[in-house]
């Protein structure tokens, strides 16, 4: 499916406000409600929209710390990666995990109550025979920026190259 300018405007608008009404969305992209809604359904069916989420202010609910962890594995066999991936998928405190090339095998983003909670989790992972050779912990002291994907900027830059 090839996206046109209106499809892209719909995606940007939904990313900024997933609760936008059908009417306001249609107005923002200069379409009537029915064709706009059909485009949204088509974008969902084509896999351009993964879902709709609510951004929760976790700081208002529970004390927490954000921790980034670089992980290096001892060996790089397929079964080692599969076992590590599955263990991480089963660890709720790991809210993001990225496999990397270039010296670091994985980069984890974890949310924990405090450093003791983090230590318990990392000790559990280390004792789970996941082939972890070493890890480096980075504790977030202050969030500077958090934003959504800059769709329009990425498309503009891609078109220039």
């Amino acid at each position: 499916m090839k996206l046109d300018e209106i499809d892209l405007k719909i995606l940007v608008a939904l990313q900024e406000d997933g609760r936008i009404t059908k009417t306001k969305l249609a107005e923002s992209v200069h379409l009537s409600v029915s064709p706009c809604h059909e485009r949204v359904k088509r974008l969902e069916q084509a896999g351009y929209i993964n879902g709709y989420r609510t951004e929760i202010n976790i700081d208002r609910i529970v004390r927490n710390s954000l921790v980034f962890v670089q992980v290096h594995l001892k060996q790089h066999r397929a079964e080692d990666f599969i076992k590590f991936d599955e263990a991480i998928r089963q660890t709720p405190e790991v809210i993001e995990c990225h496999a990397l090339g270039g010296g670091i095998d994985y980069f984890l983003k974890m949310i924990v109550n405090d450093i003791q909670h983090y230590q318990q989790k990392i000790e559990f992972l280390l004792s789970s025979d996941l082939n972890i050779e070493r890890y480096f912990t980075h504790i977030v002291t202050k969030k500077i920026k958090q934003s959504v994907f800059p769709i329009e900027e990425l498309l503009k830059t891609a078109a220039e190259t």
Side-chain angles (χ1 to χ4, degrees), residues 74-127:
K74 293 176 191 168
Q75 297 174 317
H76 295 97
R77 300 172 304 192
E79 58 267 20
D80 296 321
F81 291 116
I82 291 167
K83 188 174 182 180
F84 184 86
D85 294 357
E86 186 55 36
I88 293 303
R89 284 188 191 97
Q90 300 300 317
T91 306
E93 291 87 351
V94 177
I95 57 175
E96 284 185 36
C97 177
H98 302 273
L100 305 174
I104 300 170
D105 295 315
Y106 291 95
F107 200 73
L108 312 179
K109 181 178 180 182
M110 298 179 68
I111 186 93
V112 293
N113 294 110
D114 52 31
I115 301 309
Q116 289 77 23
H117 182 197
Y118 167 73
Q119 190 62 36
Q120 290 170 349
K121 282 296 157 182
I122 202 69
E123 286 175 4
F124 173 77
L125 292 173
L126 290 169
S127 67

Side-chain angles (χ1 to χ4, degrees), residues 9-60:
K9 287 181 180 179
I10 289 170
L11 292 173
V12 169
L14 287 173
Q15 183 176 243
E16 290 175 2
D17 181 5
R19 291 183 54 154
I20 191 170
T21 66
K22 292 177 188 174
T23 303
K24 287 192 185 221
L25 178 60
E27 287 172 5
S28 74
V29 299
H30 307 294
L31 281 179
S32 58
V33 175
S34 186
C36 182
H37 183 61
E38 288 302 316
R39 281 180 180 254
V40 171
K41 287 196 301 192
R42 189 170 38 104
L43 290 165
E44 289 171 344
Q45 291 168 351
Y48 287 97
I49 299 171
N50 289 334
Y52 299 88
R53 293 174 183 82
T54 300
E55 187 176 318
I56 305 295
N57 183 350
I58 193 72
D59 296 333
R60 302 264 328 214

